[in-house]
Amino acid sequence: MEKLRVCVVGSGNWGSAIAKVIGNNVTKSIRFHPTVTMWVFEEMIDGRKLTEIINQQHENVKYLPGHRLPQNVVAVPDLVEATTGADILVFVLPHQFIGKICDQLVGHVKPEAFGISLIKGVDEGAGGLKLISGIIREKLAIEVSVLMGANIANEVANEKFCETTVGCKNPEHGQIFKQLMQTPNFRITVVEDSDTVEICGALKNIVAVGAGFCDGLDYGDNTKAAVIRLGLMEMVAFAQMFCLGRVSPGTFLESCGVADLITTCYGGRNRKVAEAFVRTGKVGLPLWCHHGNGFIWGYKV
């Protein structure tokens, strides 16, 4: 059996953390090729190329400092070169760049390749809201699964215990992803309800903004708990509408649902920025501002 080649498309905080997991796992299985390529947007760090630093020091000193990457994780600055020959594409980069990245990959991806998106967010365009996995699937004509959960990157890199959820409509691919990424401290549950898994990963950030407001206004834990509970109900209602009722209620009890919601409402960046908005007095309400293929944070002074 030909070994499956893996490419991690993205090298930020979360991308580097999952590359560490994947890099260690592929060396323990005869199913995967031992070398993992990681596409890195080239930057200069103290006069040196970031890819050069990663490949020589085996550390992403900018986005995941203090964590050693496996030597078989190879940083490649050219996107097409990094993905050439890959059987599995792991997409983990800011969602506003996914459209342009996929456009560059058109015609360069193996027809039998398949992917998994670790990108939390949705895209808004002329046709309305689109799932990130849907954009990848549409542009590259490959099967795409998703991975979402209560997975703070530094904690995963530190090998602290956590769970995650893989939404995968292809059972065979689900088992491949589990073998590729599961460790004793990074436990994976595979479910078929992939659209709901992805929606949870996006909507929990909105609820976390409300939780951050509660913290900034010193409303206390009771109020914050109410915001989280009501937010979860809204997530369920949105998913049912977006997926036309094809939603498994149990998905919200997986790591991608209630666990990720709790983690983000207590420790996530969206909670922190909302609290900061309130405490600094610089903003009345945060805004999701359209920018290119996605959204960025902005605020009204």
Side-chain angles (χ1 to χ4, degrees), residues 206-226:
I206 300 173
V207 182
V209 172
F213 287 157
C214 288
D215 292 336
L217 294 166
D218 295 319
Y219 280 172
D221 289 335
N222 291 339
T223 304
K224 187 173 178 177

Side-chain angles (χ1 to χ4, degrees), residues 59-160:
E59 179 186 358
N60 189 332
V61 295
K62 181 169 183 179
Y63 296 107
L64 195 67
H67 295 280
R68 186 172 178 81
L69 297 176
Q71 294 187 20
N72 60 321
V73 174
V74 179
V76 181
D78 183 273
L79 177 63
V80 173
E81 180 184 345
T83 56
T84 296
D87 301 287
I88 302 174
L89 299 172
V90 181
F91 293 92
V92 52
L93 66 162
H95 73 274
Q96 61 264 32
F97 302 124
I98 193 64
K100 293 181 180 179
I101 291 297
C102 287
D103 287 341
Q104 294 179 54
L105 291 176
V106 172
H108 299 287
V109 175
K110 293 172 69 171
E112 65 273 22
F114 53 98
I116 186 166
S117 171
L118 280 63
I119 303 169
K120 294 182 178 180
V122 292
D123 184 82
E124 188 272 337
L129 296 178
K130 282 187 176 181
L131 298 176
I132 302 302
S133 64
I135 294 173
I136 301 170
R137 190 178 297 113
E138 179 181 304
K139 288 182 176 288
L140 300 183
I142 62 174
E143 280 195 56
V144 184
S145 302
V146 297
L147 182 150
M148 305 283 156
N151 308 140
I152 296 174
N154 286 343
E155 295 184 10
V156 173
N158 279 322
E159 299 182 10
K160 294 183 178 179

Side-chain angles (χ1 to χ4, degrees), residues 11 39-45 48-55 62-63 75-78:
S11 58
W39 174 66
V40 176
F41 180 78
E42 193 69 280
E43 301 178 60
M44 298 301 294
I45 309 294
R48 297 177 62 193
K49 294 179 179 180
L50 181 56
T51 53
E52 179 183 290
I53 296 172
I54 293 173
N55 290 332
K62 181 169 183 179
Y63 296 107
V76 181
D78 183 273

